[in-house]
Coordinates of all heavy atoms in Angstrom, one line a residue:
D292 N 17.9 3.3 -6.1 CA 16.9 2.6 -5.2 C 16.4 1.3 -6.0 O 16.0 1.4 -7.1 CB 15.7 3.5 -4.9 CG 14.9 3.1 -3.7 OD1 15.3 2.0 -3.1 OD2 14.0 3.8 -3.4
D293 N 16.6 0.2 -5.4 CA 16.0 -1.1 -6.0 C 16.6 -1.4 -7.3 O 16.0 -2.2 -8.1 CB 14.5 -1.0 -6.2 CG 13.7 -0.9 -4.9 OD1 14.3 -1.0 -3.8 OD2 12.5 -0.8 -4.9
L331 N 16.4 -3.6 2.6 CA 15.4 -2.6 2.6 C 16.0 -1.2 2.6 O 17.1 -1.0 3.2 CB 14.5 -2.8 3.9 CG 13.1 -2.2 3.9 CD1 12.3 -3.0 2.9 CD2 12.4 -2.5 5.3
S332 N 15.3 -0.2 2.1 CA 15.8 1.1 1.9 C 16.4 1.8 3.1 O 17.7 2.0 3.2 CB 14.8 2.0 1.3 OG 15.1 3.4 1.3
R336 N 20.5 2.4 4.1 CA 21.1 3.8 4.1 C 21.7 4.0 5.5 O 22.8 4.6 5.6 CB 20.0 4.8 3.8 CG 19.6 4.8 2.4 CD 18.2 5.4 2.1 NE 17.6 4.7 1.0 CZ 17.8 5.1 -0.3 NH1 18.4 6.2 -0.5 NH2 17.3 4.4 -1.3
K381 N 17.0 10.7 -2.6 CA 16.3 10.0 -1.6 C 17.1 9.7 -0.4 O 18.1 9.2 -0.4 CB 15.8 8.6 -2.2 CG 15.0 7.8 -1.3 CD 14.4 6.6 -1.9 CE 13.7 5.7 -0.8 NZ 13.2 4.4 -1.3
H454 N 12.8 2.6 -8.1 CA 11.8 2.2 -7.2 C 10.4 2.2 -7.9 O 10.1 2.9 -8.8 CB 11.8 3.1 -6.0 CG 11.0 2.6 -4.8 ND1 9.7 2.7 -4.6 CD2 11.4 1.9 -3.7 CE1 9.3 2.2 -3.5 NE2 10.3 1.7 -2.9
D602 N 20.5 0.3 -3.0 CA 20.2 0.0 -1.6 C 19.9 -1.4 -1.3 O 19.9 -1.9 -0.1 CB 19.1 1.0 -1.0 CG 17.8 0.8 -1.7 OD1 17.7 0.2 -2.7 OD2 16.8 1.2 -1.1
Q603 N 19.7 -2.2 -2.3 CA 19.6 -3.7 -2.3 C 19.3 -4.2 -3.7 O 19.0 -3.4 -4.6 CB 18.5 -4.2 -1.3 CG 17.3 -3.5 -0.8 CD 16.3 -2.8 -1.7 OE1 15.9 -1.7 -1.3 NE2 16.0 -3.2 -2.9
K615 N 11.9 -7.3 -2.6 CA 13.3 -7.6 -2.1 C 13.1 -8.3 -0.8 O 12.5 -9.4 -0.7 CB 14.1 -6.4 -2.0 CG 13.5 -5.2 -1.2 CD 12.9 -4.2 -2.1 CE 12.3 -3.1 -1.4 NZ 11.8 -2.0 -2.2
Ligands
CA977 CA1 15.1 0.2 -2.1

Side-chain angles (χ1 to χ4, degrees):
D292 199 358
D293 292 358
L331 203 63
S332 167
R336 289 157 211 272
K381 181 173 171 182
H454 195 275
D602 62 342
Q603 18 56 215
K615 52 261 178 176

